[in-house]
Amino acid sequence: MAGWNRREFLMGPAAGLALASCSQSRSARRARQPAPRRETLVSILRRPDYSQELYGDLRVILAEHGLNVRGKRVLLKPNLVEFEPDSPINTHPLLVHAALEAFRALGAEVSIGEGPGHRRNTLDMAEAAGYFETIPKFEDLFTDLNLDGLAEVRLYHPHSRLKSVYLAQSAVSCDLLVSMPKMKTHHWAGATLSMKNLFGAVSGGVYGWPKNTLHWAGIPECVADLYHALPRHFAIVDGIVGMEGNGPIQGRAKRAGVIVAGRDLAAADAVCCQIMCIDPRKIEYLGLAVGDVEGLLKSIHQIGEPIESVRTRFDLLPEWRGIAERRG
């Protein structure tokens, strides 16, 4: 957050107090008025199924966003949660491989990493999700972020109770972290998208499983903190088949038929919420992360399929139905 310098006045006590009061009042007003956001590009691409067309789709998406990654280290961060090959819990491996090839075509050095919140063998989980079968030499490309080297990142303006967080070194040192979540509802956060997916960059080796420290410190608050702690990011959201109801694990498959992408995870997630018929203004971690969700929505330059043409109402648990968009 931008700060300002206080002026020192060599005046009488009464006048000094009056001027200080006025100065603080003006400063408080300025603090309550967020700086205008830059225009943020978010694209929606319609894709009804997981097919070979994804390879061309991802090249189109990266071209639309003008990513310059030649010679850069790109880490793809999918969402791997549980051993359920027939359930839409995990990011589809074909989408991850399409992203891998698209970034390689741009000259990037690409790797894949994930640190699941549950205490499972991550490679076994990836195998159950089809990653070994779909992505050649997957094990050579993959880093278990729960067991990776550590980087302690200080949180300068934390929303959570944490003052710093231990993150996987691969997530901190890469030039671009690509968050590739499933489009899902969530029983604790309302929706889990590219920002919530950053929990996988937090070290399970330090915090244990299911990373309960983040729950104790506040899930929406930690999502906002991680968004700022890992600023070099890009979102590619798997909304071809998502999950509704009791997500992120026990919900039902929901086909939305879209891929959503953007340089700003908050903007991409806000668009995903609108596709899911969820009011992004009512997602707590979005408000914490950007301060002004209305301003965020106004800053989005959305290209590709119009939101109205792909809206797909995701069913919510009863306690979360208040976040649904009210439409006439």
Side-chain angles (χ1 to χ4, degrees):
M1 181 186 295
W4 54 85
N5 294 321
R6 296 177 182 264
R7 296 180 183 270
E8 296 289 337
F9 294 98
L10 300 178
M11 302 176 66
L17 285 171
L19 286 170
S21 175
C22 291
S23 176
Q24 289 169 4
S25 176
R26 287 193 297 269
S27 297
R29 286 196 296 272
R30 286 196 296 269
R32 288 195 296 268
Q33 297 171 355
R37 293 181 61 90
R38 297 184 198 173
E39 185 176 85
T40 304
L41 187 68
V42 177
S43 56
I44 301 174
L45 192 148
R46 192 189 296 270
R47 175 54 54 206
D49 51 24
Y50 298 101
S51 63
Q52 294 298 310
E53 280 77 8
L54 284 173
Y55 291 90
D57 290 344
L58 267 294
R59 294 193 181 207
V60 168
I61 286 171
L62 298 191
E64 286 175 342
H65 291 269
L67 293 181
N68 179 14
V69 293
R70 182 167 299 279
K72 303 293 180 63
R73 293 170 297 171
V74 172
L75 177 67
L76 305 181
K77 164 55 181 79
N79 189 211
L80 289 170
V81 187
E82 270 294 353
F83 296 98
E84 293 290 347
D86 297 323
S87 178
I89 295 174
N90 305 307
T91 309
H92 200 284
L94 198 67
L95 183 66
V96 177
H97 190 225
L100 175 77
E101 293 297 332
F103 277 106
R104 278 180 169 172
L106 293 178
E109 177 187 331
V110 191
S111 59
I112 304 169
E114 168 64 311
H118 291 192
R119 190 162 194 166
R120 305 286 191 265
N121 183 298
T122 308
L123 287 176
D124 286 349
M125 202 178 316
E127 184 173 21
Y131 279 65
F132 280 82
E133 179 182 356
T134 305
I135 302 173
K137 299 181 179 180
F138 173 76
E139 194 166 359
D140 295 337
L141 297 167
F142 184 76
T143 298
D144 186 338
L145 301 183
N146 281 328
L147 306 177
D148 195 21
L150 296 174
E152 183 180 12
V153 177
R154 183 179 174 189
L155 303 173
Y156 289 97
H157 301 287
H159 295 281
S160 71
R161 302 180 186 182
L162 304 178
K163 302 303 180 186
S164 65
V165 63
Y166 286 94
L167 301 175
Q169 182 64 50
S170 298
V172 174
S173 63
C174 67
D175 297 302
L176 185 68
L177 174 61
V178 182
S179 183
M180 300 189 67
K182 270 284 189 184
M183 183 181 286
K184 296 188 285 189
T185 55
H186 194 282
H187 53 211
W188 286 326
T192 175
L193 300 158
S194 66
M195 293 171 68
K196 174 65 172 62
N197 191 42
L198 296 179
F199 269 37
V202 176
S203 175
V206 172
Y207 296 108
W209 290 265
K211 306 184 183 179
N212 277 330
T213 298
L214 302 184
H215 294 209
W216 165 82
I219 290 176
E221 293 83 359
C222 286
V223 171
D225 286 346
L226 290 172
Y227 168 75
H228 292 291
L230 293 162
R232 300 185 301 276
H233 48 230
F234 189 79
I236 301 174
V237 182
D238 178 2
I240 297 174
V241 179
M243 178 179 284
E244 66 178 359
N246 191 19
I249 298 173
Q250 297 176 328
R252 300 176 301 278
K254 185 68 173 181
R255 186 176 294 274
V258 294
I259 301 166
V260 178
R263 289 177 182 259
D264 182 358
L265 304 190
D269 285 3
V271 169
C272 287
C273 286
Q274 291 176 306
I275 292 171
M276 300 164 76
C277 298
I278 291 171
D279 186 345
R281 302 166 191 83
K282 296 180 180 178
I283 297 297
E284 186 177 358
Y285 59 77
L286 274 174
L288 291 172
V290 304
D292 176 21
V293 179
E294 192 65 47
L296 171 69
L297 293 172
K298 290 177 180 177
S299 76
I300 293 172
H301 176 203
Q302 193 259 306
I303 62 172
E305 295 291 334
I307 291 174
E308 288 295 334
S309 72
V310 293
R311 283 190 191 273
T312 307
R313 186 167 295 277
F314 278 56
D315 189 30
L316 296 159
L317 292 175
E319 57 267 35
W320 283 105
R321 287 176 185 162
I323 69 172
E325 283 189 329
R326 307 298 180 192
R327 301 177 66 80

